[in-house]
Amino acid sequence: GKEGLEVHVQARFEELQKRQRQYELILNSAGEGICGINPGGIIIYVNPKAARLMGLEVKAMVGHKEGEVFGELARDSSDTALIRATGVPIEVILKRAGGASFHAEFLRSPIHENGELVGRVVLFKDITERKQSAEALEIKAAELTRSNAELEQFAFVASHDLQEPLRKIRAFGDRLQTKC
């Protein structure tokens, strides 16, 4: 009867708690910053990576508005409007606590339940090194292009300069052949 039902309810509750702990372990070990946000824009979940990236404690982010933590997301220095685009990763500059900024890939994804918006997930990662590597690669490519152009110019000049003595040798050779 009633005791059997209580045992069943307790077992289901423990199973749910176990499952929730597993999900939290997965989210907490993710390599990206992950935040859960309710429909009112309040942060309700923060994984440790997100807190580290923002230079804050988890508790300093939970309960605050998304805009307070992430500030105004800027695609570049000329566009400082808070970008509401969802479902598409964008490159932004985020400011850590303490004022240091970093390049981030930032993605907002809405969470729907039974066709109703119940919140959103924010995923972000520091891509500063990736940006620096790409810029360094562009600089090297430009240097290589310039170097190749200089090499081609040198080869053209050297080829032209070597042809003149060869023409003289041929002319003298032709003269010798004619005389002899």
Side-chain angles (χ1 to χ4, degrees), residues 27 30 32-35 105-109 121-125:
L27 291 172
E32 293 185 331
I34 302 172
C35 296
E105 190 174 270
F106 193 90
L107 172 67
R108 279 194 188 96
S109 298
V121 173
V122 167
L123 297 172
F124 64 103
K125 60 185 168 190

Side-chain angles (χ1 to χ4, degrees), residues 105-132:
E105 190 174 270
F106 193 90
L107 172 67
R108 279 194 188 96
S109 298
I111 304 169
H112 292 94
E113 190 175 9
N114 302 323
E116 187 182 331
L117 182 70
V118 292
R120 64 181 170 267
V121 173
V122 167
L123 297 172
F124 64 103
K125 60 185 168 190
D126 187 338
I127 58 165
T128 304
E129 280 184 30
R130 187 171 85 189
K131 293 272 296 178
Q132 288 170 343

Side-chain angles (χ1 to χ4, degrees), residues 129-146:
E129 280 184 30
R130 187 171 85 189
K131 293 272 296 178
Q132 288 170 343
S133 296
E135 287 168 9
L137 198 60
E138 281 179 30
I139 290 168
K140 289 287 182 202
E143 286 175 3
L144 198 59
T145 301
R146 193 184 71 246

Side-chain angles (χ1 to χ4, degrees), residues 4-5 14-15 20-21 28 35 37 43 55 57-58 68 73 78 84 89 93 113 123 134 138 149 152-153 173:
L5 183 62
E14 287 172 8
E15 177 64 30
Q20 185 176 354
R21 280 193 302 273
N28 288 348
C35 296
I37 296 161
I43 298 171
E57 296 286 321
V58 169
E68 290 173 15
L73 301 179
S78 64
R84 295 260 171 228
I93 296 168
E113 190 175 9
L123 297 172
E138 281 179 30
E152 281 179 20
Q153 184 65 29

